[in-house]
Amino acid sequence: MIIKKLKVVTVLDRIEVIQGDITTLTVDAITNAANSSLLGGGGVDGAIHKAAGPSLLEECRKLNGCHTGEAKITAGYKLPAKWVIHTVGPVWQGGNHNEDELLARCYRNSLTLAEERGITTIAFPAISTGIYRFPLGRATKIAVTETWNFLRKNNTIDKVFFVCFGDSICQSYWTVIREILGEEEK
Ligand code: ADP
């Protein structure tokens, strides 16, 4: 007979790196790497709008855009995900234009918004690493570090998925996660 069960859930158990198309995921929220107009664009933004249908754009029009590093939320419409969190990553300009901090804010603000809405599962694409040309290794390090620090202090989010559109992105996340684990064990 089990009298007491202690479930030890570490931060690592709450992070998953998966390869695929973020628009197909059945999670509470997917994050969109949007542009500041929030009126749709290429890359993951285009894919999300296409899959969600025109009602998403209608709701986005009412949001008056979004500043770089900030995040806004809409419904998911035809997506399997209930919500879309739109965040605007920085355009890479060589690294001396506050790009690191602005990208970190994207993750912090998206996760904070998710927590406020009681979202327990959330997926992120590798924000800014496409059209905005942020170096991949540097971007995934920021994504994982910010998420790790957030999950350590907050318990409402059960799972964060880093969704990779290709092998090299997955590899990059795993390298960073191994590095962080190594640091934690020291
Ligand atoms: P940004 O303008 O922020 O760079 P992009 O959409 O160009 O945004 O790219 C961000 C990341 O999203 C890139 O790593 C790209 O490979 C990835 N991506 C593009 N489409 C999808 C998708 N359907 N699902 C998941 N990731 C995607």
Side-chain angles (χ1 to χ4, degrees):
M1 188 173 65
I2 298 170
I3 297 171
K4 237 181 195 174
K5 196 171 158 191
L6 179 66
K7 196 172 174 206
V8 182
V9 180
T10 67
V11 169
L12 191 61
D13 292 327
R14 293 158 68 200
I15 293 180
E16 219 163 287
V17 180
I18 55 174
Q19 199 167 337
D21 179 352
I22 201 166
T23 64
T24 64
L25 296 185
T26 306
V27 285
D28 289 346
I30 61 170
T31 309
N32 182 15
N35 60 48
S36 56
S37 74
L38 296 186
L39 299 180
V44 73
D45 195 2
I48 289 173
H49 276 273
K50 192 169 170 215
S55 303
L56 178 60
L57 185 59
E58 261 171 55
E59 187 176 354
C60 283
R61 278 192 213 286
K62 297 179 192 145
L63 297 178
N64 294 318
C66 182
H67 292 296
T68 305
E70 292 180 5
K72 294 191 175 177
I73 191 164
T74 64
Y77 299 97
K78 288 189 194 162
L79 289 163
K82 190 165 178 221
W83 304 102
V84 180
I85 294 177
H86 306 261
T87 189
V88 182
V91 177
W92 180 255
Q93 295 178 76
N96 291 320
H97 292 79
N98 208 25
E99 292 98 322
D100 291 341
E101 171 56 19
L102 289 167
L103 186 60
R105 274 186 219 162
C106 287
Y107 288 93
R108 285 202 292 271
N109 287 329
S110 298
L111 290 164
T112 303
L113 193 50
E115 193 184 33
E116 284 166 6
R117 294 295 181 109
I119 285 163
T120 62
T121 52
I122 177 169
F124 284 98
I127 299 163
S128 282
T129 66
I131 299 159
Y132 284 0
R133 304 181 317 273
F134 207 107
L136 184 60
R138 195 159 165 159
T140 51
K141 182 155 194 175
I142 291 167
V144 177
T145 307
E146 290 304 322
T147 302
W148 200 282
N149 289 337
F150 188 92
L151 293 179
R152 271 213 300 221
K153 296 186 210 127
N154 301 272
N155 289 318
T156 51
I157 298 178
D158 292 334
K159 202 71 130 187
V160 175
F161 296 92
F162 291 119
V163 186
C164 312
F165 218 49
D167 254 353
S168 58
I169 303 180
C170 276
Q171 301 276 345
S172 184
Y173 278 113
W174 276 117
T175 306
V176 174
I177 288 169
R178 267 189 233 108
E179 272 171 27
I180 292 178
L181 273 178
E183 287 296 315
E184 296 262 309
E185 278 163 14
K186 272 181 201 162

CSV table of all heavy atoms in Angstrom, one decimal, residues 20-23 32-35 42-48 87-90 124-134 136 163-166 169, ligand 1:
chain,number,residue,atom,x,y,z
A,20,GLY,N,9.6,19.9,-35.2
A,20,GLY,CA,8.3,19.8,-35.9
A,20,GLY,C,7.8,21.2,-36.2
A,20,GLY,O,8.4,22.2,-36.0
A,21,ASP,N,6.5,21.2,-36.5
A,21,ASP,CA,5.8,22.4,-36.9
A,21,ASP,C,4.9,22.9,-35.7
A,21,ASP,O,4.0,22.1,-35.2
A,21,ASP,CB,4.9,22.1,-38.1
A,21,ASP,CG,4.0,23.3,-38.5
A,21,ASP,OD1,4.0,24.3,-37.8
A,21,ASP,OD2,3.4,23.1,-39.6
A,22,ILE,N,5.2,24.0,-35.1
A,22,ILE,CA,4.6,24.5,-33.9
A,22,ILE,C,3.0,24.6,-34.1
A,22,ILE,O,2.3,24.5,-33.1
A,22,ILE,CB,5.2,25.8,-33.5
A,22,ILE,CG1,4.9,26.1,-32.0
A,22,ILE,CG2,4.7,27.0,-34.3
A,22,ILE,CD1,5.8,27.2,-31.4
A,23,THR,N,2.6,24.8,-35.3
A,23,THR,CA,1.1,25.0,-35.5
A,23,THR,C,0.3,23.7,-35.3
A,23,THR,O,-0.9,23.8,-35.2
A,23,THR,CB,0.8,25.5,-36.9
A,23,THR,OG1,1.2,24.5,-37.9
A,23,THR,CG2,1.5,26.8,-37.2
A,32,ASN,N,4.2,33.0,-30.8
A,32,ASN,CA,4.5,33.5,-32.2
A,32,ASN,C,5.7,34.4,-32.2
A,32,ASN,O,5.7,35.4,-31.4
A,32,ASN,CB,3.2,34.1,-32.7
A,32,ASN,CG,3.4,34.6,-34.2
A,32,ASN,OD1,4.3,34.2,-34.9
A,32,ASN,ND2,2.5,35.4,-34.7
A,33,ALA,N,6.6,34.2,-33.1
A,33,ALA,CA,7.7,35.2,-33.3
A,33,ALA,C,7.2,36.2,-34.3
A,33,ALA,O,7.4,36.1,-35.5
A,33,ALA,CB,9.0,34.5,-33.8
A,34,ALA,N,6.5,37.2,-33.7
A,34,ALA,CA,5.7,38.2,-34.6
A,34,ALA,C,6.6,39.4,-34.9
A,34,ALA,O,7.7,39.5,-34.4
A,34,ALA,CB,4.5,38.6,-33.8
A,35,ASN,N,6.1,40.2,-35.8
A,35,ASN,CA,6.7,41.5,-36.0
A,35,ASN,C,5.9,42.6,-35.2
A,35,ASN,O,4.8,42.3,-34.8
A,35,ASN,CB,7.0,41.9,-37.4
A,35,ASN,CG,5.7,41.9,-38.2
A,35,ASN,OD1,4.7,42.5,-37.8
A,35,ASN,ND2,5.6,41.2,-39.4
A,42,GLY,N,6.2,36.6,-42.5
A,42,GLY,CA,6.7,35.3,-43.0
A,42,GLY,C,7.0,34.4,-41.9
A,42,GLY,O,6.6,34.5,-40.7
A,43,GLY,N,7.8,33.3,-42.2
A,43,GLY,CA,8.2,32.4,-41.2
A,43,GLY,C,7.1,31.8,-40.4
A,43,GLY,O,6.0,31.5,-40.8
A,44,VAL,N,7.4,31.6,-39.1
A,44,VAL,CA,6.5,31.0,-38.2
A,44,VAL,C,5.2,31.8,-38.0
A,44,VAL,O,4.1,31.3,-37.9
A,44,VAL,CB,7.2,30.7,-36.8
A,44,VAL,CG1,7.4,31.9,-36.0
A,44,VAL,CG2,6.4,29.7,-36.0
A,45,ASP,N,5.3,33.1,-38.1
A,45,ASP,CA,4.2,34.0,-38.0
A,45,ASP,C,3.2,33.7,-39.2
A,45,ASP,O,2.0,33.6,-38.9
A,45,ASP,CB,4.7,35.5,-38.2
A,45,ASP,CG,3.7,36.5,-37.8
A,45,ASP,OD1,2.6,36.2,-37.3
A,45,ASP,OD2,4.1,37.7,-37.9
A,46,GLY,N,3.7,33.6,-40.4
A,46,GLY,CA,2.8,33.3,-41.5
A,46,GLY,C,2.2,31.9,-41.3
A,46,GLY,O,1.0,31.8,-41.6
A,47,ALA,N,2.9,31.0,-40.9
A,47,ALA,CA,2.4,29.6,-40.7
A,47,ALA,C,1.3,29.6,-39.6
A,47,ALA,O,0.2,29.0,-39.8
A,47,ALA,CB,3.5,28.7,-40.3
A,48,ILE,N,1.5,30.4,-38.6
A,48,ILE,CA,0.5,30.4,-37.5
A,48,ILE,C,-0.8,31.1,-38.0
A,48,ILE,O,-1.9,30.6,-37.7
A,48,ILE,CB,1.0,31.2,-36.2
A,48,ILE,CG1,2.1,30.3,-35.5
A,48,ILE,CG2,-0.1,31.5,-35.2
A,48,ILE,CD1,2.9,30.9,-34.4
A,87,THR,N,5.0,37.5,-29.5
A,87,THR,CA,6.1,38.3,-28.9
A,87,THR,C,7.0,38.8,-30.1
A,87,THR,O,7.1,38.1,-31.1
A,87,THR,CB,6.9,37.5,-27.8
A,87,THR,OG1,7.8,38.4,-27.2
A,87,THR,CG2,7.6,36.3,-28.4
A,88,VAL,N,7.6,39.9,-29.9
A,88,VAL,CA,8.4,40.5,-31.0
A,88,VAL,C,9.9,40.4,-30.6
A,88,VAL,O,10.3,41.1,-29.7
A,88,VAL,CB,8.0,41.9,-31.3
A,88,VAL,CG1,8.8,42.5,-32.4
A,88,VAL,CG2,6.5,42.0,-31.5
A,89,GLY,N,10.6,39.6,-31.3
A,89,GLY,CA,12.1,39.4,-31.0
A,89,GLY,C,12.8,40.6,-31.7
A,89,GLY,O,12.3,41.2,-32.6
A,90,PRO,N,14.1,40.8,-31.2
A,90,PRO,CA,14.9,41.8,-31.8
A,90,PRO,C,15.5,41.4,-33.1
A,90,PRO,O,15.8,40.2,-33.3
A,90,PRO,CB,16.0,42.0,-30.8
A,90,PRO,CG,16.1,40.7,-30.1
A,90,PRO,CD,14.8,40.1,-30.1
A,124,PHE,N,7.5,27.3,-27.7
A,124,PHE,CA,8.2,28.4,-28.3
A,124,PHE,C,8.9,28.0,-29.5
A,124,PHE,O,9.6,26.9,-29.5
A,124,PHE,CB,9.3,28.9,-27.3
A,124,PHE,CG,8.8,29.7,-26.2
A,124,PHE,CD1,8.7,29.1,-24.9
A,124,PHE,CD2,8.6,31.0,-26.3
A,124,PHE,CE1,8.2,29.8,-23.8
A,124,PHE,CE2,8.2,31.8,-25.2
A,124,PHE,CZ,8.0,31.2,-24.0
A,125,PRO,N,8.9,28.8,-30.6
A,125,PRO,CA,9.8,28.6,-31.7
A,125,PRO,C,11.1,29.3,-31.3
A,125,PRO,O,11.1,30.0,-30.2
A,125,PRO,CB,9.2,29.3,-32.8
A,125,PRO,CG,8.4,30.4,-32.2
A,125,PRO,CD,8.0,29.9,-30.8
A,126,ALA,N,12.2,29.1,-32.1
A,126,ALA,CA,13.4,29.8,-31.7
A,126,ALA,C,13.3,31.2,-32.2
A,126,ALA,O,13.7,31.6,-33.3
A,126,ALA,CB,14.6,29.1,-32.4
A,127,ILE,N,12.8,32.1,-31.3
A,127,ILE,CA,12.5,33.5,-31.7
A,127,ILE,C,13.7,34.2,-32.2
A,127,ILE,O,14.8,34.0,-31.6
A,127,ILE,CB,11.9,34.2,-30.4
A,127,ILE,CG1,10.6,33.5,-29.9
A,127,ILE,CG2,11.7,35.7,-30.7
A,127,ILE,CD1,10.2,33.9,-28.5
A,128,SER,N,13.5,35.0,-33.2
A,128,SER,CA,14.6,35.8,-33.8
A,128,SER,C,15.6,35.1,-34.7
A,128,SER,O,16.5,35.8,-35.2
A,128,SER,CB,15.3,36.7,-32.8
A,128,SER,OG,14.5,37.8,-32.4
A,129,THR,N,15.6,33.8,-34.7
A,129,THR,CA,16.7,33.1,-35.4
A,129,THR,C,16.4,32.8,-36.9
A,129,THR,O,17.3,32.2,-37.6
A,129,THR,CB,16.9,31.7,-34.7
A,129,THR,OG1,15.8,30.8,-34.9
A,129,THR,CG2,17.2,31.8,-33.3
A,130,GLY,N,15.3,33.3,-37.4
A,130,GLY,CA,15.0,33.2,-38.8
A,130,GLY,C,15.3,34.5,-39.5
A,130,GLY,O,16.4,34.9,-39.7
A,131,ILE,N,14.2,35.1,-40.0
A,131,ILE,CA,14.3,36.3,-40.7
A,131,ILE,C,15.1,37.4,-40.0
A,131,ILE,O,15.8,38.2,-40.6
A,131,ILE,CB,12.9,36.8,-41.1
A,131,ILE,CG1,12.2,35.8,-42.0
A,131,ILE,CG2,12.9,38.2,-41.8
A,131,ILE,CD1,10.7,35.9,-42.0
A,132,TYR,N,15.0,37.4,-38.6
A,132,TYR,CA,15.7,38.4,-37.8
A,132,TYR,C,17.2,38.1,-37.5
A,132,TYR,O,17.9,38.9,-36.8
A,132,TYR,CB,14.9,38.6,-36.5
A,132,TYR,CG,13.7,39.5,-36.7
A,132,TYR,CD1,13.3,39.9,-37.9
A,132,TYR,CD2,12.9,39.8,-35.6
A,132,TYR,CE1,12.1,40.7,-38.1
A,132,TYR,CE2,11.7,40.5,-35.7
A,132,TYR,CZ,11.3,41.0,-37.0
A,132,TYR,OH,10.2,41.7,-37.1
A,133,ARG,N,17.7,36.9,-38.0
A,133,ARG,CA,19.1,36.6,-38.1
A,133,ARG,C,19.9,36.6,-36.8
A,133,ARG,O,21.1,36.8,-36.7
A,133,ARG,CB,19.8,37.6,-39.0
A,133,ARG,CG,19.3,37.7,-40.4
A,133,ARG,CD,20.1,38.6,-41.3
A,133,ARG,NE,20.4,39.9,-40.6
A,133,ARG,CZ,19.7,41.0,-40.5
A,133,ARG,NH1,18.5,41.0,-41.2
A,133,ARG,NH2,20.0,42.0,-39.9
A,134,PHE,N,19.2,36.4,-35.6
A,134,PHE,CA,19.9,36.3,-34.4
A,134,PHE,C,20.8,35.0,-34.4
A,134,PHE,O,20.2,33.9,-34.8
A,134,PHE,CB,18.9,36.2,-33.2
A,134,PHE,CG,19.4,36.7,-31.9
A,134,PHE,CD1,19.0,37.9,-31.4
A,134,PHE,CD2,20.3,35.9,-31.1
A,134,PHE,CE1,19.4,38.4,-30.1
A,134,PHE,CE2,20.7,36.4,-29.9
A,134,PHE,CZ,20.3,37.6,-29.4
A,136,LEU,N,22.1,31.5,-33.8
A,136,LEU,CA,21.3,30.4,-33.2
A,136,LEU,C,21.8,30.0,-31.8
A,136,LEU,O,21.0,29.9,-30.9
A,136,LEU,CB,21.4,29.2,-34.1
A,136,LEU,CG,20.6,28.0,-33.7
A,136,LEU,CD1,19.1,28.3,-33.6
A,136,LEU,CD2,20.7,26.8,-34.7
A,163,VAL,N,10.3,24.2,-29.8
A,163,VAL,CA,10.0,23.5,-31.1
A,163,VAL,C,11.0,23.9,-32.1
A,163,VAL,O,11.3,25.1,-32.4
A,163,VAL,CB,8.6,23.9,-31.5
A,163,VAL,CG1,8.2,23.1,-32.7
A,163,VAL,CG2,7.6,23.7,-30.4
A,164,CYS,N,11.6,22.9,-32.7
A,164,CYS,CA,12.8,23.1,-33.6
A,164,CYS,C,12.3,22.8,-35.0
A,164,CYS,O,11.8,21.8,-35.3
A,164,CYS,CB,13.9,22.2,-33.3
A,164,CYS,SG,14.3,22.2,-31.6
A,165,PHE,N,12.6,23.8,-35.9
A,165,PHE,CA,12.3,23.6,-37.3
A,165,PHE,C,13.6,23.1,-38.0
A,165,PHE,O,14.2,23.9,-38.7
A,165,PHE,CB,11.8,24.9,-37.9
A,165,PHE,CG,10.7,24.8,-38.9
A,165,PHE,CD1,9.6,24.0,-38.6
A,165,PHE,CD2,10.7,25.5,-40.1
A,165,PHE,CE1,8.5,23.9,-39.5
A,165,PHE,CE2,9.7,25.4,-41.0
A,165,PHE,CZ,8.6,24.6,-40.7
A,166,GLY,N,14.0,21.9,-37.7
A,166,GLY,CA,15.3,21.4,-38.3
A,166,GLY,C,16.2,20.9,-37.2
A,166,GLY,O,16.1,21.3,-36.0
A,169,ILE,N,18.7,23.2,-35.0
A,169,ILE,CA,18.1,23.9,-33.9
A,169,ILE,C,18.0,23.0,-32.7
A,169,ILE,O,18.4,23.4,-31.6
A,169,ILE,CB,16.7,24.5,-34.3
A,169,ILE,CG1,16.9,25.4,-35.6
A,169,ILE,CG2,16.1,25.3,-33.2
A,169,ILE,CD1,15.7,26.1,-36.1
B,1,ADP,P1,12.1,35.8,-36.7
B,1,ADP,O1,11.6,36.9,-37.5
B,1,ADP,O2,11.8,36.1,-35.2
B,1,ADP,O3,13.5,35.4,-36.9
B,1,ADP,P2,11.1,33.5,-38.1
B,1,ADP,O4,9.7,33.0,-38.2
B,1,ADP,O5,11.8,33.9,-39.4
B,1,ADP,O6,11.1,34.6,-37.0
B,1,ADP,O7,12.0,32.4,-37.5
B,1,ADP,C1,12.0,32.0,-36.1
B,1,ADP,C2,12.3,30.5,-36.0
B,1,ADP,O8,11.1,29.8,-36.3
B,1,ADP,C3,13.3,30.0,-37.0
B,1,ADP,O9,14.2,29.1,-36.3
B,1,ADP,C4,12.5,29.2,-38.0
B,1,ADP,O10,13.2,28.1,-38.5
B,1,ADP,C5,11.3,28.7,-37.1
B,1,ADP,N1,10.1,28.3,-37.7
B,1,ADP,C6,9.6,28.7,-38.9
B,1,ADP,N2,8.4,28.1,-39.1
B,1,ADP,C7,8.1,27.3,-38.1
B,1,ADP,C8,7.1,26.4,-37.7
B,1,ADP,N3,6.0,26.3,-38.4
B,1,ADP,N4,7.2,25.8,-36.5
B,1,ADP,C9,8.3,26.0,-35.7
B,1,ADP,N5,9.3,26.8,-36.0
B,1,ADP,C10,9.2,27.4,-37.1
